[in-house]
C-alpha cells in the first residue's frame, strides 16, 4: 500500500505568541519532532512538498526563538528538510472553494505561506492516490478526528497521525514497510535451471537479515524494486506478491535492470 506524507506546516512555523505563552509545550514538541524526521527518512516516505513551501519553512522556522542548548534541534530540522529525496511536487493551483477542517492555514502564517498551504489543500483534495496521510502533533492539532477537505457536497477524510509517541509512530510506519517473504521456487539450492535463485537468502537457515536490508535499501522502478548484492556480486529484483510482502531473485543480466537504477547504484 502506498501513501504520501502530508506535513502539518505549523509543526515548523510556530506562532510567536503561542510559543511565549506555552514555551514548555514547545520544548516538548522539539523533543518529539526528530522522531518523525527519523521515521520519514528511514522509511523513504514520499513527502508532499514543493520547493516554494520548503522555502517558506526555511524562512519562517523559529530559529531566533530557540533557547540556548537547542541548536541540535535546528540542525536536525535543516538536515531533515535537505534529505527529503522522495519529494512529491505538485502544481501551484488554488481552488478557493476547497476548505479544510480544521483549517490548516494558521492565523500567524505569512501571506506567502498561506498561499502555499492553499496549494497544498487543493492538491490533497484533488488527488486521492496514493492515499494522503496527515502528520501532526497533539499540541498543534487540538482536534478530535481526522483532517477533512470539502467542496460543495464532496468531502474527503485523511488518516491523521499525531506523532507524539515514538513507539506508536514506529508501529505506524511498520504497517507500510516492505517485508521479505521467500518464494520457494527461488530456493538457492533447488531453483533449477528455469528459475533464478536468491543467493543472499539461505533457505536452510532462514535468516532474513541480509535480504531484508537489501529490500529496505532498494530502489523502485515500475512495479519492482532493485538492489545490488555486493557480497554475491549480483543484482536482486524484488516483486510484490501480497500486500506489503515481497519475494526476490537474482538477475544476472545487467541490461534487464532499468537504466535509472543502474545510474543510482552505479554497477
Amino acid at each position: 500500500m502506498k501513501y504520501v506524507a502530508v506535513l502539518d506546516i505549523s509543526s515548523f512555523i510556530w506562532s510567536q505568541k503561542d510559543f511565549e505563552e506555552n514555551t514548555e509545550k514547545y520544548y516538548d514538541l522539539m523533543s518529539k519532532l526528530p522522531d518523525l524526521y527519523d521515521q520519514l527518512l528511514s522509511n523513504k516516505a514520499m513527502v508532499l512538498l514543493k520547493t516554494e513551501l520548503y522555502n517558506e519553512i526555511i524562512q519562517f522556522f523559529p530559529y531566533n526563538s530557540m533557547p540556548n542548548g537547542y541548536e541540535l534541534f535546528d540542525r536536525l530540522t535543516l538536515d531533515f528538510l535537505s534529505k527529503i529525496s522522495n519529494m512529491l511536487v505538485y502544481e501551484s493551483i488554488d481552488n478557493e472553494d476547497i476548505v479544510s477542517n480544521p483549517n490548516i492555514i494558521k492565523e500567524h502564517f505569512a501571506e506567502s505561506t498561506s498561499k502555499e498551504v492553499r496549494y497544498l489543500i487543493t492538491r490533497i483534495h484533488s488527488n486521492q492516490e496514493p492515499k494522503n496521510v496527515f502528520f501532526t502533533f497533539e499540541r498543534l492539532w487540538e482536534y478530535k478526528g481526522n483532517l477533512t477537505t470539502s467542496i460543495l457536497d464532496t468531502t474527503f477524510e485523511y488518516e491523521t497521525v499525531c506523532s507524539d509517541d515514538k513507539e506508536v509512530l514506529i508501529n505506524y510506519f511498520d504497517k507500510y514497510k516492505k517485508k521479505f517473504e521467500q518464494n520457494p521456487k527461488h530456493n538457492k539450492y533447488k531453483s533449477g535451471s528455469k528459475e533464478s535463485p536468491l543467493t543472499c537468502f539461505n533457505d536452510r537457515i532462514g535468516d532474513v537479515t541480509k535480504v531484508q536490508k537489501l529490500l529496505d535499501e532498494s530502489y523502485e522502478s515500475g512495479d519492482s524494486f532493485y538492489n545490488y548484492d555486493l557480497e554475491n556480486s549480483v543484482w536482486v529484483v524484488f516483486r510484490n506478491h501480497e500486500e506489503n510482502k515481497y519475494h526476490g531473485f537474482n538477475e544476472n543480466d545487467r541490461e534487464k535492470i532499468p537504466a535509472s537504477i543502474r545510474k543510482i547504484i552505479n554497477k
Side-chain angles (χ1 to χ4, degrees):
M1 183 186 298
K2 293 187 177 181
Y3 67 97
V4 57
V6 183
L7 305 178
D8 184 349
I9 302 306
S10 66
S11 300
F12 305 95
I13 301 176
W14 303 343
S15 162
Q16 184 67 36
K17 181 175 181 293
D18 193 36
F19 177 82
E20 291 172 354
E21 294 176 353
N22 299 279
T23 305
E24 290 300 323
K25 292 183 178 179
Y26 279 91
Y27 288 174
D28 185 52
L29 177 61
M30 280 186 260
S31 71
K32 294 174 178 177
L33 261 165
D35 292 332
L36 178 58
Y37 301 162
D38 289 344
Q39 289 303 310
L40 289 169
L41 292 176
S42 64
N43 287 281
K44 297 182 181 178
M46 185 182 297
V47 178
L48 194 61
L49 187 68
K50 65 190 185 80
T51 303
E52 292 82 357
L53 186 52
Y54 169 93
N55 289 337
E56 290 293 311
I57 294 173
I58 296 297
Q59 180 178 352
F60 294 109
F61 183 77
Y63 303 100
N64 295 332
S65 298
M66 295 294 116
N68 292 333
Y70 280 83
E71 296 85 356
L72 176 60
F73 175 67
D74 287 6
R75 293 199 299 273
L76 289 173
T77 300
L78 288 173
D79 189 54
F80 163 67
L81 292 170
S82 67
K83 286 184 176 178
I84 300 175
S85 58
N86 202 9
M87 192 163 73
L88 182 59
V89 180
Y90 47 95
E91 297 181 86
S92 298
I93 298 174
D94 178 11
N95 185 335
E96 295 181 355
D97 294 325
I98 299 174
V99 297
S100 69
N101 184 35
N103 188 0
I104 59 174
I105 302 175
K106 304 301 183 182
E107 292 181 359
H108 65 273
F109 284 175
E111 183 178 348
S112 55
T113 305
S114 297
K115 180 179 70 174
E116 288 300 327
V117 179
R118 285 284 334 149
Y119 299 150
L120 182 66
I121 291 171
T122 299
R123 167 58 179 76
I124 64 176
H125 185 87
S126 304
N127 295 267
Q128 301 300 309
E129 293 293 337
K131 65 177 287 191
N132 300 289
V133 181
F134 188 71
F135 289 90
T136 186
F137 292 85
E138 291 178 2
R139 171 73 196 94
L140 306 169
W141 195 232
E142 296 183 340
Y143 176 77
K144 293 182 179 179
N146 290 325
L147 174 69
T148 63
T149 58
S150 303
I151 182 172
L152 300 176
D153 59 349
T154 301
T155 297
F156 294 116
E157 183 175 348
Y158 311 98
E159 186 172 11
T160 299
V161 180
C162 284
S163 309
D164 298 76
D165 188 311
K166 183 177 181 178
E167 289 303 314
V168 169
L169 199 58
I170 290 172
N171 291 336
Y172 180 82
F173 279 100
D174 193 57
K175 294 192 306 182
Y176 297 99
K177 186 176 181 180
K178 302 187 298 291
K179 296 178 176 66
F180 171 75
E181 184 175 81
Q182 171 69 326
N183 185 325
K185 72 179 183 180
H186 297 298
N187 185 310
K188 66 184 290 186
Y189 302 105
K190 302 177 182 179
S191 61
S193 59
K194 292 185 178 180
E195 299 293 345
S196 179
L198 179 63
T199 312
C200 62
F201 177 69
N202 188 326
D203 301 75
R204 296 174 181 174
I205 298 175
D207 185 356
V208 302
T209 304
K210 291 180 181 179
V211 65
Q212 182 64 52
K213 187 174 188 295
L214 283 170
L215 176 57
D216 290 343
E217 297 174 354
S218 62
Y219 295 90
E220 185 176 14
S221 180
D223 59 358
S224 300
F225 285 82
Y226 300 83
N227 208 336
Y228 190 79
D229 178 6
L230 286 169
E231 184 177 335
N232 296 292
S233 301
V234 68
W235 287 96
V236 179
V237 181
F238 294 100
R239 291 200 175 140
N240 177 249
H241 59 267
E242 179 188 342
E243 202 54 41
N244 293 328
K245 296 178 181 179
Y246 290 76
H247 64 277
F249 55 90
N250 294 352
E251 178 51 72
N252 295 307
D253 186 349
R254 181 177 182 273
E255 296 305 312
K256 290 185 179 180
I257 305 300
S260 59
I261 301 296
R262 285 187 269 125
K263 184 177 181 180
I264 294 170
I265 298 180
N266 193 28
K267 286 292 180 183

